[in-house]
Amino acid sequence: MNPYQIETRCLQGGYVPGNGEPRAVPIIQSTTFRYDSSESLGRLFDLEENGYFYSRLQNPTCDNVAAKICALEGGTAAMLTSSGMSAVFFSVFNIATCGDHVVCSSTIYGGSFNLFAVTMKKMGVEFTFVHPDCTEEELNAAFRPNTKAVYGETIANPALTVLDIEKFARAAHGHGVPLIVDNTFATPINCQPLRWGADIVVHSTTKYMDGHASALGGCIVDGGNFDWMAHADKFPGLCTPDESYHGLVYAEKFGKEGAYITKATVQLMRDLGACQSPQSAYLLNVGLESLHVRMERHCQNAQAIAEFLQNHPQIEWVNYSGLPDNKYYDLAKKYLPKGSCGVISFGVKGGRAAAEGFMDRLKLITIATHVADARSCCIHPASTTHRQMNDAELVAAGVSPELVRLSVGLENVQDLMDDIAQALA
């Protein structure tokens, strides 16, 4: 159990300098590391000792920052990746390969949906998409004998559905598989899915964790609670010998606390190379140091904007779980008692054309393919992030033609309201 509160972990987690060492996490901008003998380097390749030999697998700067995120989420092991998409891919592909099946919430981010429904389908991994509001009976009916994981988002992007983590965890564990939760929008400041039964957490660190649109990145955190060996028949990659490491069995050598992340590092990162750079990790850490302060302000601003939009005559509807009439209000109070995030979705009266016209008239709020940083921005998902979906898939994902996704930043909230008002006028 971490002895410090989460605000302190944002600032001091993951790295403790020694006497005379740098106060800030140092950037170790080196691809390689020197050793005195071939034997000592060989022990690293055999996973007999901890250390660094090539930054494609591990780098001290990246490991320090991963350790901080691990501490924030309450996990046992973590790794950084080059982007949020690579974290999403690695999190699933680490345990589900050709011939396997995954149960997934249907309202996930469009890029993740395309990864699962198109790209990973070509790799032989099949996904069944269920609405997050489904009954437990409907959820359990989606499982198959070859199901290897369940996947969802704490707060879906851009549908903003709130996942009933305990419901999805019960179903996953009842079928002997882990629950993977993308916690990008909530961040560990507002929700820690591992405390509610999730087993693995992923992040696009590009969003709130970085907070300033400075560096791409992703992270995977293992909660260390899922017993892989108890379900060894389902997870041969973790529970049978890996011949590329002289027959090592990850779940035996590294236990349930470290097997999953070790395998993802020494297999997937080794072979696919989606590593985060030390410079990006440094920038990410700078953002993490203010995450707890920024998330509070994001939520305050978003709540005010949501209430403003709800009372505007040219707005069809507003979707924000902080509004008492929102269908996810009660779930948000349970899982997100400190607030959800700074992202709002709403519909402009007049459909697609009206939504696009509204955005074209904004002056302060930027149209950008981004979300969740200090500066406010917006996007029209049906024509951008979700444009690869057909109409039926858009409806299933909770994306309608008039939907605008607004990421409320840290600006003065009255300035933001004034900009929205003039654009609607």
Side-chain angles (χ1 to χ4, degrees):
M1 194 72 178
N2 197 300
Y4 298 114
Q5 299 299 315
I6 198 163
E7 296 86 353
T8 304
R9 281 177 265 164
C10 280
L11 286 153
Q12 301 205 29
Y15 172 68
V16 179
N19 187 47
E21 292 182 345
R23 183 66 187 88
V25 173
I27 303 173
I28 309 300
Q29 194 65 50
S30 179
T31 61
T32 45
F33 303 83
R34 177 188 175 276
Y35 286 88
D36 291 333
S37 70
S38 178
E39 180 183 355
S40 60
L41 182 58
R43 287 196 293 270
L44 299 181
F45 275 88
D46 286 342
L47 307 184
E48 294 296 331
E49 292 183 4
N50 293 323
Y52 302 95
F53 54 87
Y54 197 56
S55 283
R56 172 158 46 86
L57 278 83
Q58 287 181 283
N59 173 280
T61 306
C62 295
D63 279 1
N64 284 326
V65 181
K68 174 175 286 189
I69 297 173
C70 188
L72 292 175
E73 285 287 7
T76 58
M79 65 185 291
L80 298 187
T81 62
S82 59
S83 68
M85 288 306 304
S86 57
V88 171
F89 173 56
F90 278 18
S91 72
V92 175
F93 196 60
N94 199 36
I95 51 177
T97 57
C98 184
D100 290 337
H101 172 257
V102 176
V103 176
C104 184
S105 170
S106 63
T107 61
I108 59 172
Y109 167 58
S112 299
F113 182 94
N114 195 69
L115 168 66
F116 295 158
V118 179
T119 303
M120 292 192 72
K121 184 177 181 180
K122 294 176 183 177
M123 301 170 69
V125 183
E126 190 172 355
F127 289 77
T128 295
F129 295 93
V130 297
H131 196 278
D133 299 342
C134 67
T135 64
E136 297 212 28
E137 291 75 17
E138 291 169 332
L139 180 55
N140 282 298
F143 286 81
R144 302 176 186 175
N146 62 335
T147 300
K148 298 299 176 69
V150 179
Y151 186 95
E153 294 176 351
T154 309
I155 304 170
N157 175 16
L160 302 183
T161 55
V162 177
L163 189 73
D164 189 340
I165 301 172
E166 288 190 316
K167 178 179 74 174
F168 274 72
R170 278 194 303 272
H173 299 157
H175 293 271
V177 301
L179 171 61
I180 304 171
V181 174
D182 184 331
N183 198 35
T184 297
F185 269 17
T187 80
I189 302 303
N190 288 344
C191 183
Q192 296 168 358
L194 299 176
R195 297 179 60 185
W196 296 100
D199 302 287
I200 297 151
V201 172
V202 298
H203 285 276
S204 170
T205 62
T206 314
K207 308 303 189 297
Y208 285 121
M209 284 188 167
D210 173 291
H212 302 85
S214 299
L216 290 170
C219 185
I220 309 172
V221 181
D222 184 8
N225 293 315
F226 192 82
D227 191 343
W228 305 105
M229 290 302 291
H231 308 282
D233 58 321
K234 283 184 174 288
F235 304 104
L238 285 161
C239 302
T240 60
D242 180 355
E243 296 309 320
S244 66
Y245 286 102
H246 309 295
L248 177 146
V249 177
Y250 296 100
E252 289 181 351
K253 183 172 181 61
F254 300 103
K256 61 184 183 180
E257 297 82 8
Y260 176 89
I261 292 295
T262 301
K263 178 181 179 294
T265 300
V266 303
Q267 269 192 5
L268 300 187
M269 194 64 82
R270 175 196 64 190
D271 296 343
L272 300 175
C275 52
Q276 188 166 147
S277 74
Q279 180 69 46
S280 293
Y282 175 84
L283 293 170
L284 167 58
N285 186 62
V286 172
L288 287 169
E289 291 183 347
S290 64
L291 181 62
H292 56 297
V293 180
R294 290 185 289 104
M295 287 307 295
E296 182 178 3
R297 179 64 176 269
H298 278 296
C299 292
Q300 289 174 353
N301 279 1
Q303 183 70 31
I305 296 293
E307 293 171 0
F308 168 76
L309 289 168
Q310 193 174 44
N311 294 315
H312 198 287
Q314 288 174 260
I315 298 300
E316 190 80 39
W317 52 266
V318 180
N319 183 14
Y320 187 68
S321 62
L323 298 173
D325 63 349
N326 186 273
K327 68 182 295 185
Y328 297 105
Y329 182 78
D330 290 336
L331 271 182
K333 286 296 183 184
K334 175 181 177 178
Y335 293 116
L336 304 155
K338 294 194 290 186
S340 59
C341 64
V343 181
I344 302 168
S345 62
F346 59 92
V348 182
K349 288 182 179 178
R352 182 188 292 259
E356 292 178 342
F358 159 75
M359 295 200 305
D360 289 345
R361 290 187 292 271
L362 291 168
K363 297 177 180 179
L364 176 62
I365 300 169
T366 306
I367 299 174
T369 311
H370 193 51
V371 70
D373 73 45
R375 294 169 293 275
S376 295
C377 60
C378 69
I379 201 166
H380 183 239
S383 60
T384 54
T385 57
H386 287 62
R387 70 181 299 131
Q388 76 278 5
M389 294 183 176
N390 59 41
D391 288 347
E393 291 170 337
L394 283 171
V395 171
V399 179
S400 54
E402 76 279 7
L403 185 152
V404 173
R405 183 188 70 186
L406 172 62
S407 176
V408 181
L410 305 180
E411 300 93 344
N412 178 276
V413 72
Q414 188 60 53
D415 288 340
L416 295 174
M417 289 180 184
D418 290 346
D419 192 34
I420 292 169
Q422 67 81 25
L424 288 170

